[in-house]
Amino acid sequence: MAGQTRGAEGEFVSSSSIGVRKGLARVEVALRWDPSPAGSPAHDLDIVAAVYGAADPYGEPAQLVHFGSRSPDGTITLTRDSRTGQGFGYDEVMTLELDRMRPESVRVVVGVVIQDPGSGDGRRTTFGAIGGTGVRIREGHLDLAEDDFAGVPDATAATVARFTRDGANAWVLDAAVRGSDAEPEEFVRTMGAGRP
């Protein structure tokens, strides 16, 4: 089972899924989780992607892609969306066509946010309270990385992948789950900031 450590800026870092892959073109990020028990509020997890431009690669995202949206140029799309986790296999899928992105797009950070409000006692739902979680990053039929969020049980959101253009203009993947306890809006706005 993955371990959890407290990293910089208050993030939780899973030690189970660190890896780097180079020269990527079209990548799929897939998310799964089990439905909540009968009679309790549905768990709603969402994949989000933030695209950063060359002028500010660690600042404000140039664009955000999430539930019900796509990038203006069509290079990032959410092809499957679930609000409950019901179904077989992966419940939510995002496709990133990195090779079609504009040259000024130099960095893409992909994260997962738990949208449900929690139990009503002021505590938000964490990954540790949701069964059957998993994220898979794949190119074609090749799995690049997988994780089950066990390494960040106290987090309410997490980054799962960072794609960066290298000096040869090839996309490089840094796959590691980094958890956060920020509110969803704050997490989405800052999930790729200040992490060189």
Side-chain angles (χ1 to χ4, degrees):
M1 182 168 287
Q4 174 179 289
T5 58
R6 191 83 171 179
E9 302 173 14
E11 66 184 7
F12 305 94
V13 182
S14 170
S15 60
S16 68
S17 65
I18 296 174
V20 176
R21 300 283 192 265
K22 295 184 177 184
L24 302 170
R26 188 174 193 272
V27 177
E28 175 188 277
V29 179
L31 176 67
R32 65 175 163 76
W33 68 98
D34 291 342
S36 57
S40 59
H43 297 308
D44 183 7
L45 281 65
D46 287 309
I47 303 174
V48 295
V51 180
Y52 299 86
D56 195 10
Y58 297 96
E60 290 290 322
Q63 59 182 270
L64 291 170
V65 182
H66 52 83
F67 34 90
S69 74
R70 59 183 276 169
S71 59
D73 60 5
T75 57
I76 303 176
T77 55
L78 191 62
T79 57
R80 189 180 310 158
D81 181 32
S82 173
R83 296 187 179 189
T84 63
Q86 292 178 326
F88 297 102
Y90 286 87
D91 304 298
E92 217 162 278
V93 178
M94 179 177 277
T95 302
L96 300 94
E97 296 181 66
L98 300 168
D99 58 334
R100 289 186 50 234
M101 287 191 175
R102 299 175 303 169
E104 57 267 28
S105 297
V106 298
R107 192 164 173 260
V108 180
V109 178
V110 179
V112 174
V113 178
I114 301 172
Q115 292 287 355
D116 58 346
S119 59
D121 59 3
R123 291 180 298 168
R124 294 188 47 230
T125 303
T126 63
F127 287 110
I130 301 173
T133 59
V135 63
R136 180 190 67 205
I137 304 168
R138 124 183 319 189
E139 184 176 37
H141 297 291
L142 176 65
D143 289 347
L144 304 175
E146 287 188 87
D147 197 280
D148 60 5
F149 298 97
V152 292
D154 299 326
T156 58
T159 58
V160 297
R162 298 175 184 174
F163 300 93
T164 310
R165 285 191 203 263
D166 67 10
N169 206 33
W171 285 96
V172 178
L173 166 62
D174 173 10
V177 173
R178 294 173 172 89
S180 169
D181 53 11
E183 292 291 326
E185 296 80 9
E186 179 189 357
F187 172 76
V188 169
R189 183 176 52 81
T190 63
M191 67 182 187
R195 296 180 186 143

